[in-house]
Amino acid sequence: MDYKDAGVDIEAGRDFVTQIRQDVQSTFRPEVLGGLGGFGGCFELPTGYQQPVLVSGTDGVGTKLKIAQVLNRHETVGIDLVAMCVNDILTSGAEPLFFLDYLATGKLKPEQLAQVVKGVATGCRQSGCALLGGETAEMPGFYELGEYDIAGFCVGVVEKSKLLDGSQVELGDVAIALASSGVHSNGFSLVRKIIDSQDVAWDSKPGILGGISVGEELLKPTQIYVKPILELLASDIEVHGMAHITGGGLPENLPRCLSQNQSIAVNLDSWEILPIFRWLADIGNIKSEAMLETFNMGIGFVVLVNPEQVDVTKEWFHSQNIAAYEIGRVVGGDGKLVVA
């Protein structure tokens, strides 16, 4: 017997690396040292920092992958993977520098997984970070045929004096919410339970979704906010805090950017709830509280600014074709979301 008899195809692995090489190299920044294929990726710190602080983050895509695998659509989940990591470290004010991915499957299908990596490369280009390396594990008997899982890890940098850690947030600061592109990459265990319990076909097109199929809507990739936020931080607008709205929705994530003895009072009628959330709540008979604590409900990212800079902040995001809403303000409290 040999390794192939055990279910691991070395030649398929080599073919996979060949297919992804151009996509990976398209993400390289000037600080990348060396090329693809080494045991470790090397990255030189950018110049111009007095006290550089490295900020790291890691995440996955969750059971959204199940939908991608059922529909045989793999080109967007790689974007999700990058987005979940870079949006997290962005809340500290960090610029993403490089990204690593881990991809595990039962049987390596080079064409399938090359689509995943193409999405990862797209996400890296959108966020300006290099896809520095990764690992592809073929694990026969651990995953079913056609199944795979992905995880990501990124590192960014911020000047220590500009690191956002909650201490800059002041009472009266206003929360400006940025629109999400859809469900993003959270709550898909509940999404799938709703779909399965109601026998909804993935290619069905409910009228509320405007002619888009259920599967297509749910596979919309997570919005990456890196470039517009970094440009905002480099402007005259003073940002005091930021939050990435992921699992747990606004109640879980918005208080994470606060200082001690602070809360955020939010007006739930101050932004547009996307049709996909109204549809899920309706067919699944999900209470509004459960929706708010599970999904982003149309908000993917929040910035906290001085009240005097609210209008200019909203106008700036609108100039970047990003819908922005004034949803609340910082008040005294015990670190919880308060419904105004």
Side-chain angles (χ1 to χ4, degrees):
M1 294 187 292
D2 59 18
Y3 214 5
K4 191 170 184 178
D5 292 326
V8 179
D9 191 337
I10 296 176
E11 284 301 320
R14 294 194 184 105
D15 182 35
F16 172 64
V17 172
T18 300
Q19 290 192 43
I20 67 173
R21 184 177 299 276
Q22 186 173 353
D23 287 314
V24 173
Q25 292 176 337
S26 72
T27 71
F28 283 2
R29 296 169 48 123
E31 298 89 352
V32 174
L33 305 177
L36 186 66
F39 287 100
C42 298
F43 193 96
E44 186 175 28
L45 275 177
T47 60
Y49 288 89
Q50 300 301 313
Q51 289 183 288
V53 174
L54 296 180
V55 183
S56 62
T58 185
D59 211 334
V61 180
T63 60
K64 185 174 185 176
L65 293 175
K66 284 285 190 180
I67 301 176
Q69 290 160 20
V70 167
L71 297 179
N72 196 28
R73 291 279 304 275
H74 312 283
E75 64 274 14
T76 61
V77 291
I79 301 175
D80 286 304
L81 181 64
V82 176
M84 297 303 291
C85 296
V86 297
N87 285 342
D88 273 357
I89 70 167
L90 181 64
T91 62
S92 299
E95 174 193 1
L97 296 177
F98 60 83
F99 188 87
L100 302 172
D101 65 348
Y102 172 81
L103 202 160
T105 185
K107 182 175 177 57
L108 185 59
K109 293 184 173 182
E111 295 78 11
Q112 177 198 55
L113 299 187
Q115 290 183 49
V116 177
V117 176
K118 183 180 288 291
V120 174
T122 298
C124 286
R125 290 193 298 269
Q126 289 180 7
S127 55
C129 68
L131 179 50
L132 192 60
E135 166 69 5
T136 304
E138 193 171 12
M139 302 164 64
F142 200 87
Y143 296 93
E144 295 294 331
L145 184 65
E147 287 187 349
Y148 60 85
D149 193 15
I150 52 177
F153 170 84
C154 68
V155 171
V157 64
V158 60
E159 190 69 67
K160 188 174 182 179
S161 62
K162 298 180 179 180
L163 177 68
L164 297 177
D165 59 4
S167 63
Q168 300 90 343
V169 179
E170 301 175 353
L171 296 180
D173 281 349
V174 175
I176 306 297
L178 308 185
S180 69
S181 57
V183 183
H184 283 186
S185 300
N186 298 104
F188 274 87
S189 293
L190 178 55
V191 168
R192 291 170 48 247
K193 185 174 180 62
I194 293 171
I195 299 297
D196 291 344
S197 66
Q198 300 301 314
D199 290 325
V200 176
W202 295 112
D203 60 355
S204 62
K205 297 181 179 180
I208 193 173
L209 298 184
I212 298 177
S213 71
V214 172
E216 185 179 1
E217 174 65 35
L218 292 173
L219 284 181
K220 284 182 178 178
T222 305
Q223 180 75 29
I224 293 177
Y225 299 96
V226 171
K227 290 187 177 179
I229 290 293
L230 290 180
E231 290 182 21
L232 179 71
L233 294 174
S235 72
D236 294 330
I237 297 174
E238 189 175 330
V239 177
H240 291 169
M242 296 187 287
H244 180 203
I245 310 306
T246 58
L250 283 169
E252 181 73 22
N253 293 284
L254 196 45
R256 295 170 67 182
C257 67
L258 300 177
S259 188
Q260 291 185 345
N261 302 317
Q262 293 178 343
S263 292
I264 293 189
V266 171
N267 179 1
L268 299 182
D269 297 321
S270 58
W271 74 90
E272 179 185 357
I273 295 179
L274 299 179
I276 182 61
F277 297 113
R278 298 201 301 270
W279 180 75
L280 287 169
D282 181 47
I283 69 166
N285 193 27
I286 309 298
K287 294 181 179 180
S288 57
E289 294 83 1
M291 291 292 295
L292 189 66
E293 292 176 350
T294 304
F295 302 110
N296 67 62
M297 300 303 289
I299 294 175
F301 205 86
V302 176
V303 298
L304 303 180
V305 299
N306 185 287
E308 297 179 357
Q309 295 187 308
V310 170
D311 290 338
V312 67
T313 302
K314 290 167 62 178
E315 290 172 3
W316 191 89
F317 281 117
H318 292 157
S319 73
Q320 303 296 306
N321 296 317
I322 300 175
Y325 311 95
E326 179 181 344
I327 66 168
R329 64 183 55 240
V330 179
V331 297
D334 57 358
K336 295 181 180 179
L337 190 76
V338 179
V339 178

